[in-house]
């Protein structure tokens, strides 16, 4: 079974922009955050397994370009 399955994906909306985040393992625990729709590749990897508020903090702080 793959480490990142669709069962663990969660949708999140930040300022009217949709995001998908899921937990996985890439050199340890990570959270993959992808902007929707998938019209261009906008995925970031953050260490650890983040909650929805933590994902929002990453998008707003470390990767504000994902909100543009």
């Amino acid at each position: 079974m793959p480490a990142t399955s669709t069962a663990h994906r969660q949708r999140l909306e930040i300022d009217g922009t949709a995001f998908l985040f899921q937990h996985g393992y890439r050199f340890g625990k990570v959270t993959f955050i992808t902007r929707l729709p998938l019209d261009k590749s906008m995925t970031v990897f953050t260490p650890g397994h983040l909650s929805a508020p933590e994902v929002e903090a990453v998008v707003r702080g470390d990767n504000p370009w994902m909100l543009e």
Side-chain angles (χ1 to χ4, degrees):
M1 176 182 271
T4 55
S5 69
T6 55
H8 297 116
R9 293 182 183 175
Q10 296 180 59
R11 191 178 184 281
L12 175 67
E13 192 167 307
I14 304 171
D15 294 344
T17 302
F19 294 87
L20 187 71
F21 70 99
Q22 65 185 27
H23 304 315
Y25 294 92
R26 178 180 235 186
F27 311 113
K29 293 180 179 180
V30 297
T31 299
F32 305 84
I33 307 167
T34 305
R35 182 171 169 175
L36 298 174
L38 301 175
D39 52 359
K40 57 183 171 178
S41 179
M42 298 181 85
T43 301
V44 297
F45 307 96
T46 63
H49 286 173
L50 305 183
S51 65
E54 291 171 320
V55 167
E56 183 171 353
V58 167
V59 170
R60 288 185 183 278
D62 295 343
N63 299 284
W65 54 269
M66 291 185 80
L67 290 171
E68 295 175 359

